[in-house]
Amino acid sequence: MPPPAFERKILAPADVVRWAARLARPLVFTNGVFDILHRGHVAYLARSRSLGAALLVAVNGDASVRRLGKGPGRPVNALEDRMAVVAALESVDAVTWFDEDTPAALIAACRPEVLVKGGDWPVEHIVGASEVLARGGAVHSIPFEHQRSTTALLRRVGAVARAATRKKAPRASVAASKRRGARSRPRRKGQ
């Protein structure tokens, strides 16, 4: 069975110059971890796409995510899975990855006309902003529409899992106690 069509949107960073030339212009570039995709990510990517003719998303490689200090066990999802989920979104035209700490080399190679990050990034701190602006492009810090974060979501999942474990633990011990009690009672004649 052939792979789903959206997987054709995943492109190797080594070929960035070749495939970036085929994307419609103005090209919008953004990057991020996109570990557990949530409504905030989807809204952000749709808003990013509306700023140009094509949207290229660069996803942090697994080692890059670990260096960001997102927390133990991060990323939760492997790079291939994170890219596939992002590529499946209608607003996304292409997905690639980077293993460095920043996507500076990708930005320099594909020369986007528009550079975008989330609202927690002031324009002056966005990697590649000065180069894009020097070429006459635009840089945007898109405000959050939905206050969501993967870190907060993982905390909630952890709390739910801990609560479920605590809830199950007494039941298991009661059942085990009954089994132990039944084994320790002497059997009556005829049983």
Side-chain angles (χ1 to χ4, degrees):
M1 179 181 284
F6 67 80
E7 289 195 7
R8 287 193 298 264
K9 293 181 186 180
I10 301 171
L11 309 164
D15 301 328
V16 69
V17 174
R18 180 177 50 81
W19 54 255
R22 289 186 280 182
L23 293 172
R25 298 290 175 148
L27 175 61
V28 180
F29 181 101
T30 192
N31 67 282
V33 174
F34 302 104
D35 196 0
I36 297 178
L37 212 60
H38 52 69
R39 186 178 185 184
H41 289 131
V42 175
Y44 164 73
L45 292 170
R47 295 285 180 222
S48 298
R49 173 60 175 80
S50 73
L51 297 171
L55 174 61
L56 166 60
V57 179
V59 179
N60 291 72
D62 294 342
S64 176
V65 174
R66 286 189 286 277
R67 287 191 304 272
L68 288 174
K70 291 282 188 178
R74 296 287 300 277
V76 172
N77 289 298
L79 175 63
E80 300 79 30
D81 297 334
R82 292 183 285 124
M83 288 191 305
V85 172
V86 170
L89 297 174
E90 181 182 359
S91 60
V92 175
D93 295 286
V95 178
T96 193
W97 68 94
F98 61 100
D99 291 316
E100 301 78 18
D101 291 342
T102 74
L106 281 174
I107 294 167
C110 70
R111 301 176 57 85
E113 288 80 12
V114 182
L115 188 57
V116 180
K117 284 295 283 178
D120 54 339
W121 284 87
V123 170
E124 61 274 8
H125 292 137
I126 297 174
V127 170
S130 58
E131 294 82 359
V132 170
L133 291 170
R135 290 194 309 271
V139 180
H140 299 274
S141 180
I142 297 180
F144 295 128
E145 284 183 59
H146 307 283
Q147 294 301 316
R148 306 284 189 275
S149 90
T150 299
T151 302
L153 183 59
L154 287 171
R155 275 192 221 112
R156 276 186 60 203
V157 169
V160 168
R162 285 187 299 279
T165 301
R166 283 191 302 270
K167 197 172 187 178
K168 287 181 181 180
R171 286 188 200 154
S173 64
V174 168
S177 174
K178 285 181 181 178
R179 284 191 302 275
R180 281 191 304 272
R183 284 183 287 207
S184 63
R185 285 188 221 123
R187 297 182 115 196
R188 290 187 277 166
K189 278 189 173 179
Q191 283 186 324

